[in-house]
Amino acid sequence: MERTKGLLGKPPLEADQALWIQPCNSVHTFGMKSELDIVYLNHQGVVKKIVPALAPRRTSLCLGARSVIELQAGIINTNGITIGDRVEWIENNP
């Protein structure tokens, strides 16, 4: 159930925060108050599609995506994320 709620009812993401949803190949922003940057990844963590500044009350889909990263609007441009980039999760244990 938590996966289907995503960021609904949560405060807007900060620039250093993200929500990684898996498995997932579509998102919606119904009930959201701010735009989100959306990054779709395949099963190898390669960026298949990017959606900068997805407005509230919209949907987005990427066939072939295995997971989605939701970011604060503007982060895609700030970090130069492009199709073909590879995302890797690295644990940071102090």
Coordinates of all heavy atoms in Angstrom, one line a residue:
M1 N 0.8 -1.2 0.0 CA 0.0 0.0 0.0 C 0.9 1.3 0.0 O 0.5 2.2 -0.6 CB -0.9 0.0 1.2 CG -1.9 1.1 1.2 SD -2.9 1.1 -0.2 CE -4.2 2.1 0.3
E2 N 2.0 1.2 0.7 CA 2.9 2.4 0.8 C 3.4 2.8 -0.6 O 3.5 4.0 -0.9 CB 4.0 2.1 1.7 CG 4.8 3.4 2.2 CD 4.0 4.3 3.0 OE1 3.1 3.9 3.7 OE2 4.3 5.5 3.0
R3 N 3.7 1.8 -1.4 CA 4.2 2.1 -2.8 C 3.2 2.9 -3.6 O 3.5 3.8 -4.4 CB 4.6 0.8 -3.5 CG 5.3 1.0 -4.8 CD 5.7 -0.3 -5.4 NE 4.7 -1.1 -5.9 CZ 4.1 -0.9 -7.1 NH1 4.5 0.0 -7.9 NH2 3.1 -1.7 -7.5
T4 N 1.9 2.6 -3.5 CA 0.9 3.2 -4.3 C 0.6 4.7 -3.8 O 0.2 5.5 -4.6 CB -0.4 2.4 -4.2 OG1 -0.9 2.3 -2.9 CG2 -0.3 1.1 -4.9
K5 N 1.0 5.0 -2.5 CA 0.8 6.3 -2.0 C 1.9 7.2 -2.4 O 1.7 8.4 -2.6 CB 0.7 6.3 -0.5 CG -0.7 5.8 0.0 CD -0.8 5.9 1.5 CE -0.7 7.3 2.0 NZ -0.8 7.5 3.4
G6 N 3.1 6.7 -2.5 CA 4.3 7.5 -2.9 C 4.4 8.7 -2.0 O 4.5 8.7 -0.8
L7 N 4.4 9.9 -2.6 CA 4.6 11.2 -1.9 C 3.3 11.9 -1.5 O 3.4 13.0 -1.0 CB 5.4 12.1 -2.8 CG 6.9 11.7 -3.1 CD1 7.5 12.5 -4.1 CD2 7.7 11.7 -1.8
L8 N 2.2 11.2 -1.8 CA 0.9 11.9 -1.4 C 0.8 12.1 0.1 O 1.1 11.2 0.9 CB -0.3 11.0 -1.9 CG -0.5 10.9 -3.4 CD1 -1.6 9.9 -3.7 CD2 -0.9 12.2 -3.9
G9 N 0.5 13.3 0.4 CA 0.3 13.7 1.8 C 1.7 13.9 2.5 O 1.7 14.2 3.7
K10 N 2.8 13.9 1.8 CA 4.1 14.2 2.3 C 4.5 15.6 1.9 O 4.1 16.2 0.9 CB 5.1 13.2 1.8 CG 4.7 11.7 2.0 CD 5.3 11.3 3.3 CE 5.3 9.8 3.5 NZ 4.2 9.0 3.4
P11 N 5.4 16.2 2.7 CA 5.9 17.5 2.3 C 6.7 17.4 1.0 O 7.2 16.3 0.7 CB 6.8 17.9 3.5 CG 7.0 16.8 4.4 CD 6.0 15.7 4.0
P12 N 6.9 18.5 0.3 CA 7.6 18.5 -1.0 C 9.1 18.0 -0.7 O 9.6 18.2 0.3 CB 7.6 19.9 -1.5 CG 6.5 20.6 -0.8 CD 6.3 19.8 0.5
L13 N 9.6 17.3 -1.7 CA 11.0 16.8 -1.6 C 12.0 18.0 -1.6 O 11.8 19.0 -2.2 CB 11.3 16.0 -2.9 CG 10.7 14.6 -3.0 CD1 10.9 14.0 -4.3 CD2 11.2 13.7 -1.9
E14 N 13.0 17.8 -0.8 CA 14.2 18.7 -0.8 C 15.1 18.4 -1.9 O 15.0 17.3 -2.5 CB 14.9 18.7 0.5 CG 14.0 19.0 1.7 CD 13.6 20.5 1.8 OE1 14.4 21.3 1.3 OE2 12.5 20.8 2.3
A15 N 16.0 19.3 -2.3 CA 17.0 19.0 -3.4 C 17.8 17.8 -3.2 O 18.2 17.1 -4.1 CB 17.8 20.2 -3.6
D16 N 18.1 17.4 -1.9 CA 18.9 16.2 -1.7 C 18.1 15.0 -1.4 O 18.6 14.0 -0.8 CB 19.9 16.5 -0.5 CG 19.2 16.8 0.8 OD1 17.9 17.0 0.8 OD2 19.8 16.7 1.9
Q17 N 16.8 15.0 -1.7 CA 15.9 13.8 -1.4 C 15.4 13.3 -2.8 O 15.3 14.0 -3.7 CB 14.8 14.2 -0.6 CG 15.1 14.6 0.8 CD 13.9 15.1 1.6 OE1 13.1 15.8 1.1 NE2 13.8 14.6 2.8
A18 N 15.0 12.0 -2.7 CA 14.4 11.3 -3.9 C 13.5 10.2 -3.3 O 13.7 9.7 -2.2 CB 15.4 10.8 -4.8
L19 N 12.6 9.8 -4.1 CA 11.8 8.6 -3.9 C 12.0 7.6 -5.0 O 11.7 8.0 -6.2 CB 10.3 8.9 -3.7 CG 9.4 7.7 -3.4 CD1 9.7 7.0 -2.1 CD2 7.9 8.1 -3.5
W20 N 12.6 6.4 -4.7 CA 12.8 5.4 -5.7 C 11.7 4.3 -5.5 O 11.7 3.7 -4.5 CB 14.2 4.8 -5.5 CG 14.7 4.0 -6.7 CD1 14.0 3.4 -7.7 CD2 16.1 3.6 -6.9 NE1 14.8 2.7 -8.5 CE2 16.1 2.8 -8.0 CE3 17.2 3.8 -6.2 CZ2 17.3 2.3 -8.6 CZ3 18.4 3.3 -6.7 CH2 18.4 2.5 -7.9
I21 N 10.9 4.2 -6.6 CA 9.8 3.2 -6.5 C 10.1 2.1 -7.4 O 10.3 2.3 -8.6 CB 8.4 3.9 -6.9 CG1 8.2 5.2 -6.1 CG2 7.3 2.9 -6.7 CD1 7.1 6.0 -6.6
Q22 N 10.0 0.8 -6.9 CA 10.2 -0.3 -7.7 C 9.4 -1.5 -7.1 O 9.3 -1.6 -5.9 CB 11.7 -0.7 -7.8 CG 12.4 -0.9 -6.5 CD 13.9 -1.1 -6.8 OE1 14.4 -1.3 -7.9 NE2 14.6 -1.2 -5.7
P23 N 8.8 -2.3 -8.0 CA 8.7 -2.1 -9.4 C 7.7 -1.0 -9.7 O 6.7 -0.8 -9.0 CB 8.2 -3.5 -9.9 CG 7.4 -4.0 -8.7 CD 8.1 -3.5 -7.5
C24 N 7.9 -0.3 -10.8 CA 7.1 0.8 -11.2 C 7.4 1.2 -12.7 O 8.6 1.3 -13.0 CB 7.3 1.9 -10.3 SG 6.1 3.3 -10.6
N25 N 6.4 1.5 -13.5 CA 6.6 2.0 -14.8 C 5.7 3.2 -15.1 O 5.6 3.6 -16.3 CB 6.5 0.9 -15.9 CG 5.1 0.4 -16.1 OD1 4.2 0.8 -15.3 ND2 5.0 -0.5 -17.1
S26 N 5.0 3.7 -14.1 CA 4.1 4.8 -14.3 C 3.9 5.5 -13.0 O 4.0 5.0 -11.9 CB 2.8 4.4 -14.9 OG 2.0 3.6 -14.0
V27 N 3.6 6.8 -13.1 CA 3.3 7.7 -11.9 C 2.2 8.6 -12.2 O 1.9 8.8 -13.4 CB 4.6 8.5 -11.5 CG1 5.7 7.6 -11.1 CG2 5.0 9.4 -12.6
H28 N 1.6 9.1 -11.2 CA 0.6 10.2 -11.3 C 0.9 11.3 -10.3 O 1.6 11.0 -9.3 CB -0.8 9.7 -11.2 CG -1.1 9.2 -9.8 ND1 -1.5 10.1 -8.8 CD2 -1.1 8.0 -9.2 CE1 -1.7 9.5 -7.7 NE2 -1.5 8.2 -7.9
T29 N 0.5 12.5 -10.6 CA 0.6 13.6 -9.6 C -0.7 14.1 -9.1 O -0.8 15.3 -8.7 CB 1.5 14.7 -10.2 OG1 0.9 15.1 -11.5 CG2 2.9 14.2 -10.5
F30 N -1.7 13.3 -9.2 CA -3.0 13.7 -8.7 C -2.9 13.8 -7.1 O -2.4 13.0 -6.5 CB -4.1 12.7 -9.0 CG -4.4 12.6 -10.5 CD1 -3.9 11.6 -11.2 CD2 -5.1 13.6 -11.1 CE1 -4.1 11.5 -12.6 CE2 -5.3 13.5 -12.5 CZ -4.8 12.5 -13.2
G31 N -3.3 15.0 -6.6 CA -3.2 15.2 -5.2 C -1.9 15.9 -4.8 O -1.7 16.3 -3.6
M32 N -1.0 16.1 -5.7 CA 0.3 16.7 -5.5 C 0.1 18.2 -5.6 O -0.7 18.7 -6.4 CB 1.4 16.2 -6.4 CG 1.6 14.7 -6.4 SD 2.3 14.1 -4.8 CE 3.8 14.9 -4.8
K33 N 0.9 19.0 -4.9 CA 0.8 20.4 -5.0 C 2.0 21.1 -5.7 O 2.0 22.2 -6.0 CB 0.7 21.0 -3.6 CG -0.5 20.6 -2.9 CD -0.6 21.2 -1.5 CE -1.9 20.7 -0.9 NZ -2.0 20.9 0.6
S34 N 3.0 20.3 -6.0 CA 4.2 20.8 -6.7 C 4.6 19.9 -7.9 O 4.2 18.7 -7.9 CB 5.3 21.0 -5.7 OG 5.6 19.8 -5.1
E35 N 5.4 20.4 -8.8 CA 5.9 19.6 -9.9 C 7.0 18.6 -9.4 O 7.6 18.9 -8.4 CB 6.5 20.5 -10.9 CG 5.6 21.5 -11.6 CD 6.2 22.4 -12.5 OE1 7.4 22.8 -12.3 OE2 5.6 22.9 -13.4
L36 N 7.2 17.6 -10.1 CA 8.2 16.6 -9.9 C 9.0 16.3 -11.1 O 8.5 16.3 -12.2 CB 7.6 15.3 -9.4 CG 6.9 15.2 -8.0 CD1 6.3 13.9 -7.8 CD2 7.9 15.5 -6.9
D37 N 10.3 16.0 -11.0 CA 11.1 15.5 -12.0 C 11.0 14.0 -11.9 O 11.1 13.4 -10.8 CB 12.6 15.9 -11.9 CG 12.9 17.3 -12.5 OD1 11.9 17.9 -13.0 OD2 14.0 17.7 -12.4
I38 N 10.8 13.3 -13.0 CA 10.6 11.8 -13.0 C 11.7 11.2 -13.9 O 12.0 11.6 -15.0 CB 9.3 11.4 -13.6 CG1 8.1 12.2 -12.9 CG2 9.1 9.9 -13.6 CD1 8.0 11.9 -11.4
V39 N 12.4 10.2 -13.4 CA 13.4 9.4 -14.1 C 13.0 7.9 -14.1 O 12.8 7.3 -13.0 CB 14.8 9.6 -13.4 CG1 15.9 8.8 -14.1 CG2 15.2 11.0 -13.3
Y40 N 12.8 7.4 -15.3 CA 12.5 6.0 -15.5 C 13.7 5.2 -15.7 O 14.6 5.6 -16.6 CB 11.5 5.8 -16.6 CG 10.1 6.4 -16.4 CD1 9.8 7.6 -16.8 CD2 9.2 5.6 -15.7 CE1 8.5 8.1 -16.6 CE2 7.9 6.1 -15.5 CZ 7.6 7.4 -16.0 OH 6.3 7.9 -15.8
L41 N 13.9 4.0 -15.1 CA 15.0 3.2 -15.2 C 14.6 1.8 -15.7 O 13.5 1.3 -15.3 CB 15.8 3.0 -13.9 CG 16.1 4.3 -13.1 CD1 16.7 3.9 -11.8 CD2 17.2 5.1 -13.9
N42 N 15.4 1.1 -16.5 CA 15.2 -0.3 -16.8 C 15.7 -1.2 -15.7 O 16.2 -0.7 -14.7 CB 15.7 -0.6 -18.2 CG 17.3 -0.7 -18.3 OD1 18.0 -0.6 -17.2 ND2 17.8 -0.7 -19.5
H43 N 15.7 -2.5 -15.9 CA 16.1 -3.4 -14.8 C 17.6 -3.4 -14.6 O 18.1 -3.8 -13.5 CB 15.7 -4.9 -15.2 CG 16.4 -5.4 -16.4 ND1 16.1 -5.1 -17.7 CD2 17.5 -6.3 -16.5 CE1 16.9 -5.7 -18.5 NE2 17.7 -6.5 -17.8
Q44 N 18.4 -2.7 -15.4 CA 19.8 -2.6 -15.2 C 20.2 -1.2 -14.6 O 21.4 -0.9 -14.5 CB 20.6 -2.8 -16.5 CG 20.4 -4.2 -17.1 CD 20.9 -4.3 -18.5 OE1 20.7 -3.4 -19.3 NE2 21.5 -5.4 -18.8
G45 N 19.2 -0.4 -14.3 CA 19.4 0.9 -13.8 C 19.8 2.0 -14.8 O 20.3 3.1 -14.5
V46 N 19.5 1.7 -16.1 CA 19.8 2.7 -17.2 C 18.6 3.5 -17.4 O 17.5 3.1 -17.4 CB 20.2 1.9 -18.5 CG1 20.4 2.9 -19.6 CG2 21.4 1.1 -18.3
V47 N 18.8 4.8 -17.5 CA 17.7 5.8 -17.7 C 17.1 5.6 -19.0 O 17.8 5.7 -20.1 CB 18.3 7.3 -17.5 CG1 17.1 8.3 -17.8 CG2 18.8 7.5 -16.1
K48 N 15.8 5.3 -19.0 CA 15.1 5.1 -20.3 C 14.3 6.3 -20.7 O 14.1 6.5 -21.9 CB 14.1 3.9 -20.1 CG 14.7 2.6 -19.8 CD 15.7 2.1 -20.8 CE 14.9 1.6 -22.0 NZ 15.8 1.2 -23.1
K49 N 13.9 7.1 -19.7 CA 13.0 8.3 -20.1 C 13.2 9.2 -18.9 O 13.3 8.8 -17.7 CB 11.6 7.8 -20.2 CG 10.6 8.9 -20.5 CD 9.2 8.4 -20.7 CE 8.1 9.5 -20.9 NZ 6.8 8.9 -21.1
I50 N 13.1 10.5 -19.2 CA 13.1 11.6 -18.2 C 11.9 12.5 -18.5 O 11.6 12.7 -19.6 CB 14.4 12.4 -18.1 CG1 14.7 13.0 -19.5 CG2 15.6 11.5 -17.7 CD1 16.0 13.9 -19.5
V51 N 11.3 12.9 -17.4 CA 10.2 13.9 -17.5 C 10.4 15.0 -16.5 O 10.2 14.9 -15.3 CB 8.8 13.2 -17.1 CG1 7.7 14.1 -17.3 CG2 8.6 11.9 -18.0
P52 N 11.0 16.1 -17.1 CA 11.2 17.2 -16.2 C 9.9 18.0 -15.8 O 9.0 18.1 -16.7 CB 12.1 18.2 -17.0 CG 12.2 17.6 -18.4 CD 11.4 16.3 -18.4
A53 N 9.8 18.3 -14.6 CA 8.7 19.2 -14.1 C 7.3 18.7 -14.5 O 6.5 19.4 -15.1 CB 8.9 20.6 -14.6
L54 N 7.0 17.4 -14.1 CA 5.7 16.9 -14.3 C 4.7 17.6 -13.4 O 4.9 17.6 -12.2 CB 5.6 15.4 -14.0 CG 4.3 14.7 -14.2 CD1 3.9 14.7 -15.7 CD2 4.4 13.2 -13.7
A55 N 3.7 18.3 -14.0 CA 2.8 19.2 -13.2 C 1.8 18.3 -12.4 O 1.6 17.2 -12.7 CB 2.1 20.1 -14.2
P56 N 1.2 18.9 -11.4 CA 0.1 18.3 -10.7 C -1.0 17.9 -11.6 O -1.2 18.5 -12.6 CB -0.3 19.3 -9.7 CG 0.9 20.2 -9.5 CD 1.5 20.2 -10.8
R57 N -1.7 16.8 -11.2 CA -2.9 16.3 -11.9 C -2.5 15.7 -13.3 O -3.2 15.9 -14.3 CB -4.0 17.3 -12.0 CG -4.5 17.7 -10.7 CD -5.6 18.8 -10.8 NE -5.2 20.0 -11.5 CZ -4.4 21.0 -11.0 NH1 -4.0 20.9 -9.8 NH2 -4.2 22.0 -11.7
R58 N -1.3 15.1 -13.4 CA -0.9 14.5 -14.7 C -0.4 13.0 -14.4 O -0.2 12.6 -13.3 CB 0.3 15.3 -15.2 CG 0.1 16.7 -15.5 CD -0.7 16.9 -16.8 NE -0.9 18.2 -17.2 CZ -1.9 19.0 -16.9 NH1 -2.9 18.5 -16.2 NH2 -2.0 20.2 -17.3
T59 N -0.3 12.3 -15.5 CA 0.2 10.9 -15.5 C 1.4 10.8 -16.4 O 1.5 11.6 -17.4 CB -0.9 9.9 -15.8 OG1 -1.3 10.1 -17.2 CG2 -2.0 9.9 -14.9
S60 N 2.2 9.8 -16.2 CA 3.3 9.6 -17.0 C 3.6 8.1 -17.0 O 3.4 7.4 -16.0 CB 4.6 10.4 -16.6 OG 5.7 10.1 -17.4
L61 N 4.1 7.5 -18.2 CA 4.3 6.1 -18.3 C 5.5 5.9 -19.2 O 5.8 6.6 -20.1 CB 3.1 5.5 -19.0 CG 3.2 4.1 -19.6 CD1 3.2 3.1 -18.5 CD2 2.0 3.8 -20.5
C62 N 6.2 4.8 -18.9 CA 7.4 4.4 -19.7 C 7.4 2.9 -19.8 O 7.7 2.2 -18.8 CB 8.7 4.9 -19.1 SG 10.1 4.3 -20.1
L63 N 6.9 2.3 -20.9 CA 6.9 0.9 -21.1 C 8.4 0.4 -21.1 O 9.2 1.1 -21.7 CB 6.2 0.5 -22.4 CG 4.7 0.9 -22.5 CD1 4.2 0.5 -23.9 CD2 3.9 0.2 -21.4
G64 N 8.6 -0.7 -20.4 CA 10.0 -1.2 -20.3 C 10.7 -0.7 -19.1 O 11.8 -1.2 -18.8
A65 N 10.1 0.3 -18.4 CA 10.8 0.7 -17.2 C 10.5 -0.3 -16.0 O 9.5 -0.9 -16.0 CB 10.2 2.1 -16.7
R66 N 11.5 -0.4 -15.2 CA 11.4 -1.3 -14.0 C 11.2 -0.5 -12.7 O 10.7 -1.0 -11.8 CB 12.7 -2.2 -13.9 CG 12.8 -3.0 -12.7 CD 11.9 -4.2 -12.8 NE 12.1 -5.1 -11.7 CZ 11.2 -5.5 -10.9 NH1 9.9 -5.3 -11.1 NH2 11.4 -6.3 -9.9
S67 N 11.7 0.7 -12.7 CA 11.6 1.6 -11.5 C 11.6 3.0 -11.9 O 11.9 3.4 -13.0 CB 12.7 1.3 -10.5 OG 14.0 1.6 -11.1
V68 N 11.2 3.8 -10.9 CA 11.0 5.3 -11.1 C 11.7 6.0 -10.0 O 11.5 5.6 -8.8 CB 9.5 5.7 -11.2 CG1 9.3 7.2 -11.3 CG2 8.8 5.0 -12.4
I69 N 12.4 7.1 -10.3 CA 12.9 8.0 -9.3 C 12.2 9.3 -9.4 O 12.1 9.9 -10.5 CB 14.4 8.2 -9.4 CG1 15.1 6.8 -9.3 CG2 14.9 9.1 -8.3 CD1 16.6 6.9 -9.5
E70 N 11.5 9.7 -8.3 CA 10.9 11.0 -8.2 C 11.8 12.0 -7.5 O 12.3 11.7 -6.4 CB 9.5 10.9 -7.5 CG 8.6 10.0 -8.2 CD 7.2 9.9 -7.5 OE1 7.1 10.4 -6.3 OE2 6.3 9.3 -8.1
L71 N 12.0 13.2 -8.1 CA 12.9 14.2 -7.6 C 12.2 15.5 -7.6 O 11.2 15.8 -8.3 CB 14.1 14.3 -8.5 CG 14.9 13.0 -8.8 CD1 15.7 13.2 -10.1 CD2 15.8 12.8 -7.6
Q72 N 12.7 16.4 -6.8 CA 12.3 17.8 -6.8 C 12.4 18.4 -8.2 O 13.4 18.1 -8.9 CB 13.1 18.6 -5.8 CG 12.7 20.1 -5.7 CD 13.7 20.9 -4.8 OE1 14.8 21.1 -5.2 NE2 13.2 21.2 -3.6
A73 N 11.5 19.1 -8.7 CA 11.5 19.7 -10.0 C 12.8 20.5 -10.2 O 13.2 21.3 -9.3 CB 10.3 20.6 -10.3
G74 N 13.5 20.3 -11.3 CA 14.7 21.1 -11.6 C 16.0 20.2 -11.4 O 17.1 20.6 -11.9
I75 N 15.9 19.1 -10.6 CA 17.1 18.3 -10.3 C 17.6 17.6 -11.6 O 18.8 17.5 -11.7 CB 16.7 17.3 -9.2 CG1 16.4 18.0 -7.9 CG2 17.9 16.3 -9.0 CD1 17.5 18.9 -7.4
I76 N 16.7 17.2 -12.5 CA 17.2 16.6 -13.8 C 18.2 17.6 -14.5 O 19.3 17.2 -14.9 CB 16.0 16.2 -14.7 CG1 15.3 15.0 -14.1 CG2 16.5 16.0 -16.1 CD1 14.1 14.6 -14.9
N77 N 17.8 18.8 -14.6 CA 18.7 19.8 -15.3 C 19.9 20.1 -14.4 O 21.0 20.2 -15.0 CB 17.9 21.1 -15.6 CG 17.0 20.9 -16.8 OD1 17.2 20.1 -17.7 ND2 16.0 21.7 -16.9
T78 N 19.7 20.3 -13.1 CA 20.8 20.7 -12.3 C 21.9 19.6 -12.3 O 23.1 19.9 -12.3 CB 20.3 20.8 -10.8 OG1 19.4 21.9 -10.8 CG2 21.5 21.1 -9.9
N79 N 21.5 18.3 -12.4 CA 22.5 17.2 -12.3 C 22.8 16.7 -13.7 O 23.6 15.7 -13.8 CB 22.0 16.1 -11.4 CG 22.0 16.6 -10.0 OD1 23.1 16.8 -9.4 ND2 20.9 16.7 -9.4
G80 N 22.3 17.2 -14.8 CA 22.6 16.8 -16.1 C 22.2 15.4 -16.4 O 22.9 14.7 -17.1
I81 N 21.1 14.9 -15.8 CA 20.6 13.5 -16.1 C 20.1 13.4 -17.5 O 19.3 14.2 -17.9 CB 19.5 13.2 -15.0 CG1 20.1 13.3 -13.6 CG2 19.0 11.8 -15.3 CD1 19.0 13.2 -12.5
T82 N 20.6 12.4 -18.2 CA 20.2 12.2 -19.6 C 19.9 10.7 -19.8 O 20.3 9.8 -19.0 CB 21.3 12.6 -20.6 OG1 22.5 11.8 -20.3 CG2 21.6 14.0 -20.5
I83 N 19.1 10.4 -20.9 CA 18.8 9.1 -21.3 C 20.1 8.3 -21.5 O 21.0 8.9 -22.2 CB 17.9 9.1 -22.5 CG1 16.5 9.6 -22.1 CG2 17.7 7.7 -23.0 CD1 15.5 9.9 -23.2
G84 N 20.2 7.1 -21.0 CA 21.4 6.3 -21.2 C 22.3 6.3 -20.0 O 23.2 5.5 -19.8
D85 N 22.1 7.3 -19.1 CA 22.9 7.3 -17.8 C 22.6 6.1 -17.0 O 21.5 5.5 -17.2 CB 22.6 8.6 -17.0 CG 23.1 9.9 -17.5 OD1 24.0 9.8 -18.4 OD2 22.8 10.9 -17.0
R86 N 23.5 5.7 -16.2 CA 23.2 4.5 -15.3 C 23.2 4.9 -13.9 O 24.1 5.7 -13.4 CB 24.3 3.4 -15.5 CG 24.0 2.2 -14.8 CD 24.9 1.0 -15.2 NE 24.5 -0.2 -14.7 CZ 24.8 -0.7 -13.4 NH1 25.5 0.1 -12.6 NH2 24.4 -1.8 -13.0
V87 N 22.1 4.5 -13.2 CA 22.0 4.8 -11.7 C 22.3 3.6 -10.9 O 22.0 2.5 -11.2 CB 20.5 5.2 -11.4 CG1 20.3 5.4 -9.9 CG2 20.1 6.5 -12.2
E88 N 23.1 3.8 -9.9 CA 23.5 2.8 -9.0 C 23.3 3.2 -7.6 O 23.6 4.3 -7.2 CB 25.0 2.5 -9.3 CG 25.6 1.3 -8.6 CD 27.0 1.0 -9.0 OE1 27.4 1.4 -10.1 OE2 27.7 0.3 -8.2
W89 N 22.8 2.2 -6.8 CA 22.5 2.5 -5.4 C 23.8 2.1 -4.6 O 24.3 1.0 -4.7 CB 21.4 1.7 -4.9 CG 21.1 1.8 -3.4 CD1 21.5 1.1 -2.4 CD2 20.3 2.9 -2.8 NE1 21.1 1.6 -1.2 CE2 20.3 2.7 -1.4 CE3 19.5 3.9 -3.4 CZ2 19.6 3.5 -0.6 CZ3 18.9 4.7 -2.5 CH2 18.9 4.5 -1.1
I90 N 24.3 3.0 -3.8 CA 25.5 2.7 -3.0 C 25.2 3.0 -1.6 O 24.8 4.1 -1.2 CB 26.7 3.6 -3.5 CG1 27.0 3.3 -4.9 CG2 27.9 3.4 -2.6 CD1 28.1 4.2 -5.5
E91 N 25.3 2.0 -0.7 CA 25.0 2.2 0.7 C 26.1 3.1 1.3 O 27.3 2.9 1.0 CB 25.1 0.8 1.4 CG 23.9 0.0 1.1 CD 22.6 0.4 1.7 OE1 22.6 1.1 2.8 OE2 21.5 0.1 1.1
N92 N 25.7 4.0 2.2 CA 26.6 4.9 2.8 C 26.5 4.6 4.3 O 25.7 5.3 5.0 CB 26.3 6.3 2.5 CG 27.3 7.3 3.1 OD1 28.4 6.9 3.6 ND2 27.0 8.6 3.0
N93 N 27.2 3.6 4.8 CA 27.2 3.3 6.2 C 28.3 3.9 7.0 O 29.4 3.7 6.7 CB 27.3 1.7 6.4 CG 26.1 1.0 5.8 OD1 25.0 1.5 5.8 ND2 26.3 -0.1 5.2
P94 N 27.9 4.8 7.9 CA 29.0 5.5 8.7 C 29.7 4.6 9.6 O 29.4 3.6 10.0 CB 28.2 6.6 9.4 CG 26.8 6.3 9.3 CD 26.6 5.3 8.2

